[in-house]
Amino acid sequence: MDIAREVLNIVVVGHVDHGKSTVIGRLLYDTKSLPEGAIDRVKRIAKEKGKPFEYAYLLDAFEEEQKQGITIDTTQLQFRTDKRDYVIIDAPGHKEFLKNMISGAASAEAALLIIDANEGIQEQSKRHGYILSLLGIQKAYVLVNKMDLIQYSEEKFNAIKQEMNEFLTSLHVYPLKYIPVSAFHGENITASSDKMPWYKGEPVLEAIDLFEKDKGLEGKPLRFPIQDVYKFDSRRIIAGRIEAGTLRTGDEILISPSNKVTKVKSIEYWVEKDKVDQISAGMSVGITVEDEFFNQRGEFISHTYDAPITSDTFKVSLFWMGKNDLVKNKEYKLKLATQEVECEIYAINKVIDATTLENLENASQAKTNDVAEVTIKTKREVCFDEFRNNQNTGRFVIVDGYDVCGGGIVTGLAQERQSVSKFVKQDDEIIVKCFDEYYYVVTEGGIKKIEGVPHSFNIGDVIPSTGVTYEYPAEFNVVDIKTGLTAIIRKSKLQDIILLKHLTYEQSPFIDSQGAFVKIHSEEDFNKFAADLEKLQQAESSRTAAFANQWLDFMKFRQIRYLTATKSLEIEYQI
Amino acid sequence: MDHLDRLEAQSIFILREAYKKFGKLGMLWSIGKDSTVMLWLAKKAFFGHCPFPFIHVDTTHKIPEMIAFRDRMAKEYNIELIVHTNQEALDAGMGPDKGRLVCCKALKTDGLQQVVTKYEFEGLILGIRRDEEGSRSKERVFSERNKDSEWDYTNQAPELWDQFKTDFPKGNHIRVHPILHWNEMDIWAYIEREKIELVDLYFAKNGKRYRSLGCAPCTGQIDSNAVTVAQIIEELKNTKVGERAGRAQDQEDSYAMQKLRKDGYM
């Protein structure tokens, strides 16, 4: 018994009537994967309904599906090649049943996207392509079906290939192959078609054997979301499935977000033969730990040196399947791994028309079948990873009422939208305007300030020491006249932030936070400036101008350039 | 991990989700190979314990060996067993002579519905598989039934990334299908690997054996000389006959199973 055989789940997607069920039916028929009588049964049904024989009837098992000739819900069927076993998932092509398409596609590792050669690329061809990219399914072939209807024309095939490729490439889905087929006539399904000698690639059946399975989840950082804690007997067993990584008896582990550290005491089992001292990704396991803290479902076990992200605000891409729109200021439930938490939509950053990839401007809600980029705020902190780092712990669903209405992937942590640039060291920060640019705008007849893109510079960050209208040296200091906090820039990097009075003079020039040169040329000047600054901070603000005129030279590191108009001008840091 | 390890791990994950989510949970045990494998998986999932009752809907038409095996195993595995019969229907003379689908509906579907109502189950674990027949191939792992156990199969809830449906109005229940993704061959290979004891009706006597078990009047035997699990696996590799070909109710009409299952059949 070859139980060690590999299994690959493939979803078949595409626009309605482009022939998804027919492709699968044909594959099953040609690989003799159907039980005796299945074809006879389908023939009988076709006859009863007074319709011609359709391979699709093999999959469209519901009476409603066969009557109307559409797939309502996804079907999973198995077949095998010499290389491995396949679970092939037939997904509905109707927009109305998109949620069923997504349910089917979510469990697949690879995809076949079917396009009708005669009709070309249609709305759902694109939407399904988009959803594949959101689900992280990178392995895809495009099957251009019904080639018989376009007389097996290479030219038309190439035109479809080019158009679809342009669309998919913009989504970072790179189809590995384009295969021209006629599923109904069996051309290029199991054997190369003599009707299309110009096609040099493999037929579908050979091509799917070339999909490579994902590997290496065991080697990723450990992620073990707690599913439940059992106390059926004297053991207190923490149960769950390892989503990534490997865990051994004796390992030191971190439990997040409660931040507790302990060690694995034992790996539990029922049958003696299941006893192991190492467990890894994909396994449903149970462990006991040395320190019996209060643990609960939802917490993440990781190694201490590779913890997941813990946050209550994060950015996601999601698809919405709900009857009601996705809106702000409404309570939803978020389910991520074994965590469940109340959440709300903090911001809708973008709603995308999945078929044109156009952004719907200022959308305040996502409607059913929309794709959106939003910021989610959860009631308490949750553990996760970015989807690109770990698929299993980087995706989630949103429940509205009783139903799962959305699914999405975490794209990153949300940062507060800031309006100013700053230098930051823990609690100390200096708001800086020294990277703003000044122009004399000819059409407006005056000097205009153009602010740089707001950004926070942390210790060690490279700063933009040279702009279009300013040029600071590689080593200088930025003093905040109001607070006396001074940023030390060395080799164009922010090295430290300390109070001026704690600073030792080192000859490198000083500027204020606006970018004006501070007229310090010697240690004597430095001491005098420090004393004047102290006085200024204690005195009335009316003396500021006098202080500035005495100490500051605005133009030392700047020049004002001429500009025709401010429009279309965008300043970017040159780092 | 090999193929069987992965199937097992997924089933255990599903069983643990069901146990965590449903206060009132029961597992249907038909005494057949699939639900006996589920019993084994439950013991593994909960480290030798079975923290919910097992339910047998007894039509009184079962093959006698099945009942003897049931009672012996319940003791050996130390499980809580609920046996229920739709006595009302039997008293009114229900049997396969009234029509197979009518009989199935009354003694199995309605019997099951009575159990759900009586014990107020929120979750019911069943051992159906996608490869058995068409309407099962379209099932969800967590599949909602309304208060009358009806299945709204044209409007199933999305199910992705193992985030199952656990929110539903009171009175409805969820059918949990932990081995939905297994096929017949997987079941036998797992039985062989784990050395799970089965009712001996599956093994050939006098050139005949049962491939699928149900009620005596509606379940046929197949020609076979397979007396071990290994021989059954070898036999299945070379057959082209469907697993449920011996189950008479399936053959009553093109959509027999869909119709039965819409009303709450397992």
Side-chain angles (χ1 to χ4, degrees):
Chain A
M1 187 55 201
D2 43 0
I3 53 168
R5 276 168 67 89
E6 198 171 78
V7 182
L8 186 76
N9 289 15
I10 301 181
V11 68
V12 182
V13 298
H15 196 75
V16 61
D17 280 341
H18 282 198
K20 295 173 293 299
S21 302
T22 309
V23 167
I24 300 174
R26 187 82 211 193
L27 271 175
L28 295 173
Y29 178 73
D30 287 352
T31 55
K32 301 182 174 54
S33 306
L34 299 163
E36 212 168 71
I39 290 283
D40 290 341
R41 181 168 172 271
V42 168
K43 282 184 179 154
R44 192 175 78 216
I45 290 165
K47 204 174 161 193
E48 279 171 17
K49 307 246 175 286
K51 285 182 170 185
F53 172 82
E54 294 245 17
Y55 287 104
Y57 287 169
L58 292 166
L59 291 96
D60 292 337
F62 291 144
E63 189 171 8
E64 289 82 350
E65 294 178 319
Q66 293 175 344
K67 260 190 192 152
Q68 298 169 39
I70 54 162
T71 303
I72 293 173
D73 210 330
T74 162
T75 313
Q76 299 201 4
L77 289 159
Q78 306 186 359
F79 80 102
R80 49 169 38 208
T81 63
D82 288 339
K83 180 176 176 180
R84 61 185 164 205
D85 291 347
Y86 290 93
V87 174
I88 198 138
I89 305 159
D90 183 29
H94 264 268
K95 190 175 172 181
E96 195 190 332
F97 306 123
L98 190 76
K99 65 187 172 79
N100 296 340
M101 176 268 168
I102 289 170
S103 294
S107 60
E109 220 180 290
L112 300 178
L113 177 58
I114 314 287
I115 296 173
D116 182 321
N118 202 33
E119 279 194 18
I121 296 157
Q122 298 290 315
E123 191 185 328
Q124 303 310 316
S125 321
K126 291 188 168 181
R127 182 171 275 118
H128 287 184
Y130 202 115
I131 284 169
L132 291 182
S133 83
L134 261 185
L135 295 173
I137 300 172
Q138 303 250 324
K139 293 181 265 273
Y141 297 156
V142 174
L143 268 52
V144 180
N145 188 27
K146 307 191 191 179
M147 287 297 292
D148 51 307
L149 298 183
I150 56 162
Q151 290 75 47
Y152 302 104
S153 155
E154 180 179 12
E155 198 183 330
K156 286 186 183 165
F157 168 77
N158 283 336
I160 289 170
K161 177 176 169 178
Q162 192 185 338
E163 189 187 343
M164 199 60 195
N165 216 25
E166 272 169 25
F167 178 79
L168 292 176
T169 302
S170 60
L171 298 172
H172 308 289
V173 172
Y174 307 106
L176 304 164
K177 289 176 192 304
Y178 284 81
I179 309 176
V181 302
S182 167
F184 189 79
H185 296 288
E187 302 296 337
N188 270 342
I189 299 292
T190 51
S192 291
S193 165
D194 53 16
K195 303 244 171 41
M196 292 169 275
W198 47 266
Y199 173 70
K200 304 294 178 208
E202 303 82 1
V204 177
L205 197 66
E206 281 175 35
I208 58 173
D209 273 349
L210 299 175
F211 279 130
E212 273 182 43
K213 267 188 84 74
D214 289 336
K215 285 192 177 74
L217 265 183
E218 296 86 356
K220 289 197 167 202
L222 174 72
R223 296 291 181 262
F224 175 8
I226 298 177
Q227 191 176 8
D228 209 344
V229 180
Y230 301 135
K231 192 95 184 34
F232 297 123
D233 45 42
S234 60
R235 298 169 294 179
R236 188 172 165 284
I237 300 175
I238 297 174
R241 180 170 63 194
I242 300 188
E243 299 295 350
T246 299
L247 184 63
R248 293 170 190 82
T249 314
D251 278 5
E252 189 175 65
I253 53 170
L254 172 72
I255 303 173
S256 302
S258 56
N259 257 331
K260 287 169 290 202
V261 175
T262 184
K263 274 187 178 161
V264 179
K265 192 159 81 181
S266 67
I267 294 169
E268 294 298 323
Y269 57 94
W270 173 50
V271 193
E272 190 65 27
K273 74 168 182 62
D274 292 343
K275 186 177 176 179
V276 288
D277 55 11
Q278 176 178 319
I279 45 185
S280 56
M283 298 182 180
S284 285
V285 300
I287 62 167
T288 64
V289 294
E290 282 184 0
D291 304 280
E292 303 218 331
F293 306 120
F294 171 73
N295 302 113
Q296 57 183 338
R297 179 183 166 93
E299 290 184 303
F300 269 37
I301 292 174
S302 70
H303 284 118
T304 45
Y305 48 84
D306 244 335
I309 301 171
T310 300
S311 176
D312 61 2
T313 314
F314 44 95
K315 288 194 288 189
V316 308
S317 292
L318 60 77
F319 41 84
W320 190 246
M321 308 174 273
K323 282 191 207 92
N324 300 318
D325 295 345
L326 175 76
V327 292
K328 290 197 276 185
N329 303 321
K330 181 179 169 181
E331 198 170 275
Y332 296 101
K333 181 156 82 179
L334 178 120
K335 293 167 98 175
L336 191 158
T338 55
Q339 303 169 103
E340 280 182 34
V341 60
E342 285 167 21
C343 75
E344 62 171 310
I345 305 305
Y346 181 74
I348 295 180
N349 308 323
K350 223 190 230 184
V351 177
I352 301 146
D353 182 324
T355 60
T356 60
L357 298 188
E358 273 172 19
N359 295 338
L360 307 176
E361 292 295 334
N362 301 320
S364 56
Q365 73 276 316
K367 296 188 175 62
T368 188
N369 298 340
D370 276 347
V371 176
E373 291 175 12
V374 308
T375 306
I376 287 181
K377 187 145 178 32
T378 52
K379 211 155 205 174
R380 54 181 170 76
E381 290 198 314
V382 287
C383 299
F384 57 87
D385 291 285
E386 282 184 33
F387 184 73
R388 63 193 167 91
N389 295 331
N390 190 327
Q391 294 205 351
N392 290 343
T393 50
R395 58 196 181 192
F396 61 88
V397 298
I398 289 180
V399 179
D400 184 14
Y402 296 124
D403 298 316
V404 168
C405 287
I409 61 176
V410 181
T411 52
L413 277 173
Q415 282 178 338
E416 294 274 322
R417 233 191 122 70
Q418 55 185 60
S419 53
V420 292
S421 286
K422 5 176 165 166
F423 290 150
V424 185
K425 181 194 172 191
Q426 287 158 356
D427 293 337
D428 290 334
E429 60 175 51
I430 302 174
I431 293 172
V432 287
K433 307 247 177 205
C434 54
F435 307 127
D436 294 346
E437 308 271 9
Y438 290 82
Y439 294 91
Y440 185 93
V441 184
V442 178
T443 49
E444 294 174 23
I447 290 175
K448 187 126 189 174
K449 183 172 79 167
I450 310 285
E451 288 178 7
V453 179
H455 186 79
S456 288
F457 298 97
N458 296 298
I459 301 298
D461 286 355
V462 174
I463 56 105
S465 55
T466 303
V468 181
T469 65
Y470 65 85
E471 187 173 355
Y472 305 116
E475 316 232 314
F476 64 107
N477 311 296
V478 183
V479 57
D480 185 358
I481 303 291
K482 275 192 202 129
T483 61
L485 278 172
T486 306
I488 300 170
I489 313 294
R490 295 293 177 267
K491 292 181 181 162
S492 294
K493 282 182 187 167
L494 177 61
Q495 188 184 66
D496 201 1
I497 297 177
I498 57 170
L499 280 168
L500 186 79
K501 58 185 174 190
H502 297 148
L503 193 76
T504 316
Y505 180 67
E506 268 181 358
Q507 290 193 332
S508 49
F510 284 78
I511 62 168
D512 80 341
S513 57
Q514 305 284 329
F517 172 62
V518 182
K519 293 180 225 165
I520 297 173
H521 301 282
S522 63
E523 187 159 9
E524 197 188 340
D525 289 347
F526 174 75
N527 290 335
K528 189 158 186 301
F529 174 76
D532 276 9
L533 186 66
E534 197 124 324
K535 267 189 241 158
L536 178 76
Q537 283 167 357
Q538 289 157 6
E540 298 291 316
S541 58
S542 61
R543 289 193 53 200
T544 314
F547 175 86
N549 278 321
Q550 184 189 343
W551 283 107
L552 303 181
D553 174 0
F554 190 72
M555 293 307 292
K556 167 102 174 175
F557 295 118
R558 291 188 181 275
Q559 58 164 320
I560 292 178
R561 297 178 69 125
Y562 288 98
L563 194 71
T564 315
T566 48
K567 216 184 158 191
S568 85
L569 186 80
E570 271 182 41
I571 300 298
E572 287 203 15
Y573 288 122
Q574 295 159 355
I575 296 176
Chain B
M1 291 175 87
D2 68 18
H3 176 53
L4 290 180
D5 294 331
R6 276 188 287 269
L7 291 174
E8 179 191 73
Q10 178 68 4
S11 298
I12 289 174
F13 179 82
I14 295 164
L15 284 167
R16 288 175 175 170
E17 282 300 279
Y19 176 60
K20 181 70 195 177
K21 287 294 168 184
F22 305 122
K24 293 265 189 175
L25 177 69
M27 184 188 273
L28 219 59
W29 186 30
S30 73
I31 339 284
K33 62 184 190 313
D34 299 307
S35 54
T36 304
V37 162
M38 277 208 313
L39 172 54
W40 182 265
L41 288 166
K43 295 285 274 189
K44 276 204 178 185
F46 306 108
F47 304 97
H49 301 267
C50 282
F52 39 72
F54 287 72
I55 305 150
H56 182 223
V57 179
D58 191 352
T59 60
T60 70
H61 291 289
K62 296 289 171 193
I63 307 162
E65 285 94 326
M66 291 171 72
I67 303 302
F69 178 78
R70 175 191 78 191
D71 294 339
R72 181 166 65 79
M73 293 308 282
K75 261 189 210 143
E76 274 181 30
Y77 279 129
N78 188 28
I79 57 173
E80 184 190 342
L81 185 66
I82 295 171
V83 177
H84 180 84
T85 300
N86 185 357
Q87 198 55 48
E88 220 172 288
L90 282 173
D91 290 347
M94 181 51 72
D97 53 320
K98 300 278 186 285
R100 290 198 163 103
L101 297 184
V102 179
C103 180
C104 265
K105 165 96 171 63
L107 298 185
K108 290 167 92 175
T109 312
D110 293 350
L112 182 58
Q113 169 66 19
Q114 288 163 0
V115 177
V116 171
T117 308
K118 183 175 172 191
Y119 294 90
E120 296 177 329
F121 283 120
E122 295 174 321
L124 211 53
I125 304 169
L126 288 89
I128 63 161
R129 305 190 325 264
R130 286 205 174 102
D131 73 321
E132 286 182 285
E133 55 87 28
S135 72
R136 286 176 178 158
S137 75
K138 290 176 176 280
E139 266 286 4
R140 299 284 191 264
V141 176
F142 276 44
S143 185
E144 190 175 8
R145 297 292 183 275
N146 72 10
K147 62 176 175 25
D148 298 319
S149 287
E150 287 163 346
W151 180 35
D152 183 5
Y153 56 86
T154 57
N155 187 28
Q156 297 201 72
E159 184 169 84
L160 49 156
W161 306 325
D162 289 346
Q163 296 294 356
F164 305 122
K165 184 162 182 73
T166 51
D167 301 276
F168 51 93
K170 198 170 165 50
N172 288 11
H173 74 272
I174 299 287
R175 298 274 171 95
V176 179
H177 303 132
I179 57 166
L180 196 59
H181 55 298
W182 295 49
N183 65 30
E184 187 187 14
M185 194 68 111
D186 297 329
I187 292 285
W188 283 109
Y190 189 70
I191 289 167
E192 171 80 342
R193 185 178 93 169
E194 302 286 313
K195 309 208 179 337
I196 301 168
E197 188 179 348
L198 288 187
V199 61
D200 59 12
L201 294 167
Y202 284 110
F203 304 102
K205 268 184 224 86
N206 306 321
K208 296 229 177 254
R209 70 173 194 91
Y210 288 93
R211 185 166 166 198
S212 174
L213 286 179
C215 296
C218 296
T219 308
Q221 291 183 302
I222 57 165
D223 293 329
S224 168
N225 292 312
V227 294
T228 65
V229 175
Q231 285 168 355
I232 289 174
I233 290 170
E234 208 45 49
E235 180 186 285
L236 288 177
K237 273 188 187 168
N238 300 309
T239 185
K240 287 227 63 185
V241 180
E243 179 183 9
R244 292 180 63 90
R247 302 291 288 273
Q249 69 267 32
D250 293 33
Q251 328 305 331
E252 286 282 297
D253 145 344
S254 297
Y255 303 105
M257 283 302 278
Q258 178 184 342
K259 285 171 183 162
L260 277 171
R261 300 198 66 248
K262 177 183 173 293
D263 292 333
Y265 187 84
M266 43 294 283

